[in-house]
Amino acid sequence: MKRVDNPFIAALHNFKLSFTFAAIVDLILGLVLLLMPNTSTRVICTLVGVGVTVYGVLNVISFIMERASYAYTLELVIGIIATSFGIFSLINPTFLMSFLFTILGFVIMVGSFCGLKHALSLREFGFPRWYLPMISAIATLLLALSIVFFPGFYGDMLMMVIGVILIVEAISDLLSIHRLSSFNKNL
């Protein structure tokens, strides 16, 4: 890897790398959600149920290892609640599915805020079409808000819609990276 002495060029290079990585992750996740929505929902629900159960059990074990100190009583309560929630979610996956869509809406919302930040960074770098990723990020944000506030509206097709949105966002990001590379070469 060659050394870059110009801080602007180095920042631009780092920006392109992180933008590319995020776009590839979005593209892969989008394809998985689009092509296997039912499997994706079940896998995510199971992973969340297992993760919450393990977290709860570790909190209970930590409380026991600290010899039941009063300072760790909250840890015991959180551990019992998390373990109970995790086990209930594993036994009754439809319970967790009702919350899954809201959680995914929040995750997409965070991603869209990152997209807005990237678009504003492109504007600061003088990128002429910075508004294209901005429009994509705003569309993604609107979808995320509708998922958070109306999770039951989408039903089974929600995973596919999320997959399509992630794919569109990834393609938009990759096109922006390509244009940014062209812009960088002209400097």
Side-chain angles (χ1 to χ4, degrees):
M1 187 168 146
K2 67 180 184 177
R3 184 176 167 203
V4 179
D5 291 328
N6 184 335
F8 176 76
I9 300 297
L12 197 59
H13 178 71
N14 290 337
F15 179 75
K16 283 180 5 185
L17 285 176
S18 67
F19 216 54
T20 302
F21 179 73
I24 291 170
V25 169
D26 282 350
L27 184 63
I28 292 169
L29 182 60
L31 286 170
V32 169
L33 293 175
L34 178 64
L35 299 175
M36 300 183 290
N38 294 330
T39 303
S40 299
T41 302
R42 283 191 308 250
V43 167
I44 292 170
C45 286
T46 301
L47 289 174
V48 169
V50 168
V52 171
T53 303
V54 168
Y55 172 77
V57 168
L58 290 175
N59 274 348
V60 171
I61 291 171
S62 176
F63 173 79
I64 293 169
M65 298 298 283
E66 294 297 324
R67 297 191 169 98
S69 168
Y70 177 74
Y72 292 98
T73 304
L74 182 61
E75 191 172 6
L76 176 64
V77 172
I78 291 172
I80 291 171
I81 291 171
T83 303
S84 301
F85 180 81
I87 290 171
F88 183 74
S89 297
L90 290 171
I91 293 170
N92 185 6
T94 56
F95 167 75
L96 188 57
M97 283 183 191
S98 65
F99 292 108
L100 175 66
F101 296 132
T102 303
I103 292 167
L104 284 175
F106 279 116
V107 169
I108 292 172
M109 196 179 304
V110 169
S112 64
F113 284 131
C114 290
L116 289 170
K117 181 180 175 259
H118 287 149
L120 293 174
S121 295
L122 287 173
R123 185 180 71 173
E124 287 178 22
F125 285 135
F127 185 65
R129 293 193 177 112
W130 62 270
Y131 56 87
L132 295 175
M134 175 74 80
I135 292 169
S136 173
I138 290 171
T140 305
L141 179 61
L142 292 175
L143 174 70
L145 288 171
S146 70
I147 292 169
V148 167
F149 291 112
F150 307 106
F153 177 74
Y154 292 96
D156 293 337
M157 72 176 193
L158 181 61
M159 288 299 217
M160 294 173 70
V161 169
I162 293 169
V164 168
I165 294 297
L166 287 173
I167 291 168
V168 168
E169 187 174 323
I171 291 170
S172 171
D173 289 350
L174 290 171
L175 288 173
S176 295
I177 292 164
H178 174 70
R179 290 184 184 130
L180 187 60
S181 293
S182 299
F183 178 74
N184 184 24
K185 289 177 185 173
N186 291 335
L187 288 177

